[in-house]
Amino acid sequence: MKRNRHVRLDDVVQQIEWHKGDVPVWGALFVIGLCAATAFLVNAAVSPKTANPLLVVLCSIYASLGAVTAIREVRSFRRQARMLAGLPGPQTRHVLGFTDILTSKEPHRLLLDMAERYGPIFSFRVIHLHLVCITDPAVAMDMLKSPYVDKVRFLYSFLDPFLMGTNMLTGHTDKHWKAVRKGVAPAFSAQHMRSALHSVVECCGALARYMEVQGPRKAMDVDELLLRESMDVIGRFGFQKDMGAIASLWRPESEANHNVRALLESTEEVVARTKTFMRWWQLWRPDVVAGWVTLGRFKNIIRDLLEHMKSTKLEPGTFADLLMKTKDPRTKQLLSDKQLLPEIAALFFAGIDTTGHTGSFCLFLLSQHPEVEAKVVQELQRLGLCASVQRPEPRQLAYADLAELAYLQAVVKETLRMFPPVAIGQARLVSADLKLAGGFCLPAGAAALVPHHAMHSTSFNWDKPNEFLPERWLVPGAEYAVSKKQQMANGDISADDAHASSAALLEDTEGDNRQPKRYIPFAEGPRNCVGQSLAKVSLVATLAVLLSQFSFKLADDMGGAEGVRRAERYALVNGIAGGLRMHAIPRLAQQKEE
Ligand code: HEM
């Protein structure tokens, strides 16, 4: 292997450890062992004199236990098949089942097509798993909130070597997860969002200056720019560290810029490794070595962050501070470095791509809907936040403004409905028979998937699901399966009740647990997004700052809306392959011309 300080031997060892824990590896070892034990026993039966008696006893025990396990698995599989027999869904005899759906370029769109074809609950097989896809809001909510479901660890374990171990995002819903989640959650309280806004405004200001200098003629990859901004915001707000993601744009050859690029490209490498299962050890291939370097850089950034956390006087209540104070429930000691690193990596990783890509889809949708953009600008102007000939330096965005930006919030919500970053949704393994809304029963051992994109876009959940209509969010309770307006008309709830639980983007909608939601970009149940308040403040503030100064136009080489649609790609989260090139046209110059 090429000597490189970004490729470390312990990372390679960790990768081997990871494969050691894989279900297919264990499964294969189990089957090979069973075949060898059976062959040995048959041989011993044919010529008993030559057989070692101790080995005969050990092989008999192994073969019996193996046979019992195999019979139990087969019976459970057949029981699930019987219980789910009435469900619609595609059938196959292929041993891998419909694995290709989950590994395709756009699994979320395939799942939407299937939901339209088979209805709100359907099932298909993925290897040995019966996967039940649920886009019925009431059934989905029941399932996601049940204490008898947990993350499908096998799927999430693919992220572990990249995130330096199991963490809050990828681990089981156990005591350790609960301790970490409870530990860091206060960092995302409404009270802390004021200082989050401060970080966003500063980072976005730097981004706006960069865009201004580039000028309207130059097409910029706004997706990369917004990812950089998210990185700086999380670094500043969560870890009190300047990641230099935007500043390093001015110094493309600097070490800082290489590190930022590594952070951005590391998801690509993880996707490549999940698709080509044994890619990680093909070290004769230059692209694989480059992938190792990228991941090595990412891990060095996380290690540097931990060092920074240890050597800095952290502000009380930031998630870095809270993480350092979290105790392992088993040992009752503070989390060790080995436990802290994956948690830092997860908080970093989970927030950057999701928030950055959502901002890009927002700018893309606005560029295609000038009438919506005009309303956003009107709202910003009304609050004195827009640059104009009379007032070239607009007022700085304040926390109180966010609540006043109702239409911009609706734009963000509509974008998250149409392009939820975690578009494939939440997969859960069911540990006991579950009776859900409408009497539907999920058998123990089955896997359930709530695909966010399909839930947000099926014609049975929404009117005009393919149209970008921010106005739909101005109706109170639009995220519920039966809108508050409809319930009021039915006399089920009073107007006061409806108003109290109406959900603006920045409000915490957790309060109303009575109604099933059809809009869940931040997931639902105990494993929902811990950082959603930061994401919402970040998105609304970033768009307010950028749109108050620029109008964004799609670059010609993107091939119009259809080109962007074709470039959409699911790589851990939904994004645009190759980025989103746009021109940032200063509003002031536009106004002067007019
Ligand atoms: C638009 C932005 C975001 C969206 C749409 C989003 C969405 C989600 C979703 C759907 C999940 C559940 C994932 C699953 O079960 O597979 C999740 C979990 C998580 N998110 Fe976010 N997220 C966003 C931003 C953020 C930010 C800014 C942070 C933190 C800085 C963050 C941190 C996390 C963490 C740590 C988890 C795991 C929580 C747990 O399992 O307890 N996310 N997010």
Side-chain angles (χ1 to χ4, degrees), residues 461-480:
N461 280 343
W462 299 85
D463 286 336
K464 302 184 185 162
N466 300 324
E467 288 181 32
F468 178 58
L469 296 174
E471 275 71 14
R472 70 172 96 231
W473 297 105
L474 304 178
V475 176
E479 63 265 63
Y480 296 100

Side-chain angles (χ1 to χ4, degrees), residues 152-164:
V152 183
R153 257 295 293 162
F154 170 55
L155 294 182
Y156 288 91
S157 70
F158 279 85
L159 285 174
D160 285 354
F162 160 55
L163 298 175
M164 308 170 88

Side-chain angles (χ1 to χ4, degrees), residues 277-540:
F277 194 55
M278 297 304 275
R279 175 183 159 90
W280 61 274
W281 64 271
Q282 296 168 346
L283 293 171
W284 59 88
R285 285 174 47 181
D287 60 320
V288 171
V289 174
W292 271 109
V293 173
T294 301
L295 287 193
R297 274 187 189 272
F298 172 81
K299 289 178 184 180
N300 284 344
I301 294 171
I302 303 299
R303 288 184 189 108
D304 284 352
L305 269 174
L306 179 59
E307 285 314 310
H308 169 82
M309 282 160 69
K310 286 182 177 171
S311 59
T312 311
K313 193 169 177 329
L314 294 167
E315 237 171 73
T318 53
F319 55 69
D321 171 60
L322 295 173
L323 210 48
M324 295 293 276
K325 291 178 180 154
T326 302
K327 288 190 174 163
D328 180 337
R330 199 170 47 83
T331 59
K332 309 274 182 273
Q333 303 290 316
L334 293 176
L335 296 182
S336 65
D337 287 4
K338 212 175 156 205
Q339 290 171 313
L340 282 169
L341 285 169
E343 301 301 347
I344 299 170
L347 278 164
F348 226 74
F349 161 79
I352 295 176
D353 282 25
T354 44
T355 319
H357 292 326
T358 305
S360 308
F361 280 120
C362 252
L363 293 182
F364 160 66
L365 285 167
L366 287 173
S367 74
Q368 302 305 300
H369 296 271
E371 71 293 353
V372 174
E373 188 192 348
K375 286 187 193 169
V376 172
V377 173
Q378 251 177 25
E379 191 172 62
L380 291 168
Q381 277 169 341
R382 186 173 50 78
L383 292 172
L385 293 166
C386 228
S388 65
V389 182
Q390 298 79 19
R391 195 177 179 173
E393 273 298 312
R395 173 172 80 73
Q396 202 184 52
L397 186 74
Y399 191 72
D401 292 324
L402 297 181
E404 298 295 314
L405 291 166
Y407 193 73
L408 183 56
Q409 290 190 35
V411 168
V412 174
K413 271 194 145 183
E414 183 67 345
T415 306
L416 280 167
R417 181 189 70 78
M418 295 180 81
F419 296 98
V422 188
I424 197 169
Q426 303 161 78
R428 298 287 181 265
L429 210 55
V430 182
S431 61
D433 286 356
L434 278 189
K435 195 129 194 240
L436 304 171
F440 172 67
C441 190
L442 258 180
L449 178 72
V450 178
H452 292 175
H453 176 68
M455 173 83 119
H456 290 181
S457 293
T458 48
S459 52
F460 47 82
N461 280 343
W462 299 85
D463 286 336
K464 302 184 185 162
N466 300 324
E467 288 181 32
F468 178 58
L469 296 174
E471 275 71 14
R472 70 172 96 231
W473 297 105
L474 304 178
V475 176
E479 63 265 63
Y480 296 100
V482 180
S483 77
K484 290 282 178 300
K485 199 176 160 195
Q486 219 168 316
Q487 290 174 58
M488 277 158 61
N490 297 344
D492 293 347
I493 55 167
S494 69
D496 284 351
D497 197 4
H499 197 71
S501 59
S502 81
L505 180 78
L506 300 173
E507 281 174 20
D508 183 4
T509 59
E510 293 281 295
D512 191 343
N513 282 327
R514 294 162 297 171
Q515 295 301 324
K517 285 184 191 162
R518 58 179 175 168
Y519 171 78
I520 48 168
F522 295 103
E524 197 60 34
R527 302 301 295 265
N528 66 359
C529 178
V530 73
Q532 56 184 291
S533 54
L534 175 62
K536 291 167 187 173
V537 166
S538 198
L539 282 165
V540 175

Side-chain angles (χ1 to χ4, degrees), residues 7-27:
V7 181
R8 298 160 54 124
L9 190 62
D10 55 352
D11 288 346
V12 182
V13 172
Q14 196 192 0
Q15 189 89 28
I16 296 168
E17 260 180 30
W18 166 55
H19 279 288
K20 200 179 70 189
D22 274 3
V23 175
V25 173
W26 278 111

Side-chain angles (χ1 to χ4, degrees), residues 77-105:
F77 180 81
R78 292 180 60 176
R79 179 172 177 272
Q80 289 166 41
R82 267 199 314 278
M83 288 176 71
L84 298 172
L87 285 185
Q91 300 295 325
T92 178
R93 288 186 180 280
H94 194 288
V95 68
L96 294 178
F98 288 98
T99 318
D100 53 337
I101 293 180
L102 302 182
T103 53
S104 70
K105 183 174 151 268

